């Protein structure tokens, strides 16, 4: 390995608070080893169109750890192994242009790629590792659905924002004796709904891991009413569905996107509750508010730790691996053990038990 390494870094998938902190930590840790870091803009775009590459100096990144979003831009489209292109008849075709990325990476003399992303982006990174690119993964997602690490950065911020929203809804729900149904993100895992729902005093939490029975949800709300609680907060994860029913999608999806867009379950849950209980019911979708703004202190610190650990892993030549939190330590886990499956809420976990002990219903 040459003495002065040339490191590339990119951010892929949906943005998450903490991405800039990872970038800052990678650049500062590399600088301390006299290495150079280059930012690849918009996922892999910068390795297809090399004008999208920026040299990252300490002056450019110092202090960005407190900022939301990512200074490099990101995308959940543009997988070089399955790039959507319009053919001459105007139809979308998928092509593998990954060789171009590998060629540019080698031509530019990079020694390593730090890929910061969720399961989709890390799968792409792993595929590049198999094509010879030395890759280090850094786990990001507000959904916390990535295996191998106890937690991903971005999750704590999303839960904090959702909890604050729930706190605010209590007073208005109570004033009107209403049921407020709040939809949170999380894809096919219920981590955000579970953690914010417990912290924010929800009466009902609906998560993808526990298909719900709307009659049980309504019975719980009416039971509470008999006990004197005349309003209710229902938190529903976007990927939750009724037993025997299906997940609600938003439209047909976008070309080149790996996952399907979820969303819309809160509206149907609110309608069913109103029809079955006769209670005044409203719904809201927290949406991208959960990803916006500054990372919490927890996420900021975790991201800085992940970034610094990624640079240590480069030094140790631990390529094809991802940094992971295994409290109190950061460890390296093989990317192949992480991709392809999602980490879901365990029904026997202490957190689920806590919710049940507190009298929160999962609609089961
Ligand atoms: O994976 C992060 C996430 O925010 C999910 O919770 C959500 O389903 C999805 O991304 C939304 O994607 P987009 O930003 O493309 O609307």
């Amino acid at each position: 390995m040459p003495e002065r390494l040339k490191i590339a870094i990119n951010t892929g998938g949906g943005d998450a608070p903490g991405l800039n902190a990872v970038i800052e930590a990678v650049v500062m840790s590399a600088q301390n080893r006299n290495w150079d870091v280059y930012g690849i803009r918009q996922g892999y775009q910068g390795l297809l169109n090399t004008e999208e590459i920026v040299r990252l100096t300490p002056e450019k990144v110092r202090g960005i750890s407190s900022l939301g979003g990512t200074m490099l831009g990101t995308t959940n489209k543009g997988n070089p192994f399955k790039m959507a292109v319009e053919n001459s008849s105007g139809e979308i075709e998928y092509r593998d242009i990954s060789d171009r990325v590998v060629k540019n990476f080698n031509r530019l003399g990079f020694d390593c790629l730090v890929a910061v992303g969720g399961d989709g982006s890390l799968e792409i990174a792993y595929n590049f590792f198999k094509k010879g690119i030395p890759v280090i993964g850094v786990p990001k997602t507000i959904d916390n659905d990535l295996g191998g690490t106890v937690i991903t950065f971005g999750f704590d911020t999303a839960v904090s924002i959702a909890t604050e929203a729930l706190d605010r809804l209590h007073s208005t729900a109570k004033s009107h004796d209403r049921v407020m149904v709040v939809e949170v993100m999380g894809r096919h895992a219920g981590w955000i709904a579970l953690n914010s729902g417990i912290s924010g005093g929800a009466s009902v939490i609906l998560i993808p891991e526990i298909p719900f029975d709307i009659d049980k949800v309504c019975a719980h709300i009416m039971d509470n009413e008999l006990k004197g609680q005349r309003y209710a907060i229902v938190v529903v994860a976007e990927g939750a569905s009724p037993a025997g029913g299906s997940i609600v999608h938003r439209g047909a999806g976008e070309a080149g996107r790996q996952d399907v867009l979820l969303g819309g379950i809160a509206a149907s849950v609110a309608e069913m509750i109103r029809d079955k209980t006769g209670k005044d019911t409203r719904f809201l979708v927290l949406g991208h508010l959960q990803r916006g703004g500054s990372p919490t202190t927890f996420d900021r610190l975790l991201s800085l730790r992940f970034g610094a650990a990624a640079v240590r892993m480069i030094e140790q030549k631990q390529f094809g691996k991802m940094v992971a939190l295994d409290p109190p330590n950061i460890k390296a886990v093989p990317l192949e053990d992480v991709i392809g499956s999602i980490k879901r809420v365990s029904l026997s976990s202490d957190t689920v038990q806590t919710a049940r002990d507190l009298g929160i219903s999962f609609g089961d």
Side-chain angles (χ1 to χ4, degrees), residues 208-226:
E209 293 83 351
I210 307 179
F212 63 87
D213 176 343
I214 196 67
D215 289 324
K216 294 200 171 143
V217 171
C218 294
H220 185 74
I221 292 170
M222 296 318 284
D223 253 19
N224 280 351
E225 181 141 326
L226 286 176

Side-chain angles (χ1 to χ4, degrees), residues 147-161:
T149 181
V150 165
I151 203 163
T152 51
F153 72 83
F155 174 63
D156 185 65
T157 309
V159 170
S160 303
I161 293 167

Side-chain angles (χ1 to χ4, degrees), residues 162 165-166 169-170 172-173 177-184 193 202-206 212 214 217-218 221 231-238 240 264-275 277 279-287:
L166 299 178
L169 287 171
H170 278 271
T172 175
D177 285 348
R178 273 180 179 154
V179 179
M180 301 295 296
V181 181
V182 186
E183 181 174 311
V184 296
S203 303
V204 178
I205 300 174
L206 305 177
F212 63 87
I214 196 67
V217 171
C218 294
I221 292 170
Y231 76 97
I233 307 282
V234 176
V235 178
V236 55
E238 61 181 0
I265 182 77
S268 65
V269 167
E271 195 179 318
M272 289 189 281
I273 293 176
R274 192 195 56 220
D275 291 350
T277 65
K279 283 194 74 70
D280 206 9
T281 304
R282 296 287 187 272
F283 74 91
L284 70 152
V285 179
L286 288 189

Side-chain angles (χ1 to χ4, degrees), residues 76 141-143 185-187 238 250 257 261 288 291:
N76 26 28
T141 169
I142 65 160
D143 305 327
M185 284 183 166
R187 296 200 305 171
E238 61 181 0
R250 264 188 284 152
R257 201 185 155 105
L261 272 179
H288 294 81
R291 290 195 344 217

Side-chain angles (χ1 to χ4, degrees), residues 68-82:
T70 160
M71 71 171 291
L72 293 176
T74 188
T75 175
N76 26 28
K77 297 180 209 163
N79 175 356
F81 290 89
K82 211 179 158 204

